[in-house]
Structures are given as C-alpha cells and as structure tokens.
Amino acid sequence: MAMQERIREGAAGAILFDAAVSPQVEDDWFEPEAWRERGALRQQSGGRGGVAIIDTPAGVCVLRHYRRGGMVAKLMGDHYLWSGADHTRSFAEFRLLALIASLGLPSAPPVACRYVRQGLFYTADLITRRIANAQTLAECLASGQLDGEMAELVGALVARFHRAGIWHADLNAHNVLVTNDELYLIDFDRGRQRDPADGWQQANLLRLRRSLVKLGAAAQGEAAFEESLWKPLVYRYERTLRA
C-alpha cells in the first residue's frame, strides 16, 4: 500500500502520519498513559524516554520517545534545538523509513510521528509497526543462536541497505531483528540516504563488529570470532553488495 503522507498542525507542534494506515492520528496516540487507560498498553520500558508497545487502530505498534544519549543527555534530556519542522528527528526518521519501505527493504514501517515545540527547543515521538516474534541479534548472540549461517544473513541484510545508499547512524546488534522468516534493520534516528561509498560503508560494518565484540562474540578468542562469524558475514556482505 502506497504511503499517503498527511500533516496535522496544532498550536504547539505537528503530527505527520500515513493516512493509508490510519485516516486520523491525535496527540493522545503519543501518550503511553492514554493507551494504558484504554487497556491498550501492552508493555512499557525505559521510563519517559523508553519504548511502549501499543494496540492501535492500525495494529500493534511501537511508540518511541526521542531522548538524547551520552553526556549531553544530562543537560538536554529529551529536548532538541529547533531548526524547522523538516529537520526534527521525528519527521526525518519517518520520511527515511517511508523511503526504505518504498525500496522494499526490511524495516519497521512508519505509522505516525510528532514534534512539540517549546520556544527554541522541541520534543518528539515516533510510532512504527511492531515486527512480531522478533529477537534482536544481541539476544541471539546471548542465547547461542548466532552462527555462521545467521552471520551471512546479517551481512546480506546490511549490504542491501548499503547498496541503496541507506546509512544507519548506530548499526549495532540491538538494531538488527531476527524472525523465522526475515531479518530487519530498525531505529534509523539520524540515518539518511547518501551516495554509496566504500568509506562510510566500511565504517558502518566496523561499528557492527565493535558491537558484537563488546557483547561477547569474541569470548572464545579473536581468531575464533573472525573465522566462525565475521568472515561469513563479510563474505555474504560483499557478494550481495556487488550482485
């Protein structure tokens, strides 16, 4: 189904949504407590800056409130500097996810997003469809399911996005989802489409490698990790990238 982008502006902000999924989206869609009151809040984690699983008229979705990480989080929390609606984190990610969907790449399709402006700053939220029965690659690693075959599938997944020029700002094992039928790449905050180039593509891969090593993939030694997981991943990546 083709995306039907709609924007509903309010006194303090705006909502961008796919009218093909839901003809109308209100501000209370972005409030976990509103879903809780309806008995439609399945799960919530991480407090105000976390993620909520919600039962919406558009189906089961994931509601994410944007919150800064690192040292700047202590100063800014969930506030971002205003530089125009199209430059908000929520609008940018929504539109990138819409592009990804139009390219037939596996990610979480966008449903709606909003920003709320507060003077020189704004806060933001994003709703995407939930990918059912999925585990993160990090969880697969922790449970011993990550083997050479799965590593090859991960390499092919990343290559498909890179071939289309889709750059992921935080490519790590928590942002790869694995189901019985498909692998998905999620969380495209600060991502963008750019001209394919070996430099950023290799840097993206190395970020994923560091994530896997940090999570214990090289616990049996660097050589074992290289042979059993990383070489299969890179082999399939290169084959897919040049296919």
Side-chain angles (χ1 to χ4, degrees):
M1 184 182 298
M3 163 76 69
Q4 296 179 22
E5 182 180 301
R6 298 286 187 276
I7 296 178
R8 185 173 69 80
E9 296 184 347
I15 294 173
L16 170 62
F17 63 98
D18 182 1
V21 173
S22 178
Q24 189 61 41
V25 175
E26 304 294 339
D27 279 292
D28 63 358
W29 278 50
F30 302 94
E31 304 296 339
E33 280 306 310
W35 295 107
R36 190 191 305 278
E37 289 171 5
R38 300 174 192 148
L41 179 66
R42 290 195 180 191
Q43 181 183 335
Q44 186 176 12
S45 61
R48 187 182 179 198
V51 169
I53 310 300
I54 53 178
D55 284 315
T56 78
V60 182
C61 293
V62 176
L63 165 61
R64 174 161 55 90
H65 182 71
Y66 287 83
R67 192 170 186 85
R68 292 182 177 275
M71 295 295 293
V72 73
K74 296 180 180 179
L75 297 173
M76 301 290 288
D78 62 349
H79 284 67
Y80 298 86
L81 187 64
W82 175 259
S83 59
D86 290 340
H87 297 287
T88 58
R89 302 284 274 262
S90 51
F91 273 35
E93 186 171 358
F94 181 99
R95 286 171 170 152
L96 181 58
L97 288 172
L99 171 64
I100 287 168
S102 74
L103 294 171
L105 295 171
S107 187
V111 173
C113 69
R114 76 166 176 179
Y115 68 82
V116 177
R117 191 174 174 187
Q118 301 168 3
L120 295 175
F121 301 95
Y122 73 93
T123 59
D125 306 272
L126 175 71
I127 298 174
T128 56
R129 286 193 178 276
R130 187 190 187 195
I131 298 169
N133 304 315
Q135 297 181 79
T136 66
L137 186 63
E139 290 170 332
C140 291
L141 172 62
S143 62
Q145 298 176 68
L146 177 55
D147 57 12
E149 182 179 354
M150 186 180 292
E152 283 200 36
L153 294 176
V154 173
L157 173 74
V158 175
R160 291 174 63 192
F161 280 83
H162 282 183
R163 195 167 58 189
I166 305 297
W167 174 71
H168 195 293
D170 189 17
L171 185 59
N172 65 61
H174 298 287
N175 289 330
V176 177
L177 295 187
V178 180
T179 71
N180 289 334
D181 304 314
E182 180 72 277
L183 271 67
Y184 300 81
L185 199 51
I186 61 166
D187 192 356
F188 279 88
D189 182 26
R190 297 181 295 115
R192 66 182 188 272
Q193 187 179 39
R194 56 198 300 185
D195 292 334
D198 187 65
W200 68 258
Q201 291 168 341
Q202 291 302 312
N204 232 197
L205 275 181
L206 289 176
R207 191 179 187 94
L208 176 59
R209 180 191 173 102
R210 288 194 298 270
S211 168
L212 289 169
V213 170
K214 183 178 180 180
L215 291 169
Q220 303 304 315
E222 189 76 21
F225 165 70
E226 187 77 25
E227 196 65 32
S228 64
L229 294 178
W230 194 247
K231 279 187 177 179
L233 189 153
V234 171
Y235 167 76
R236 187 69 175 276
Y237 171 86
E238 291 178 346
R239 285 195 62 183
T240 305
L241 191 68
R242 291 161 177 74

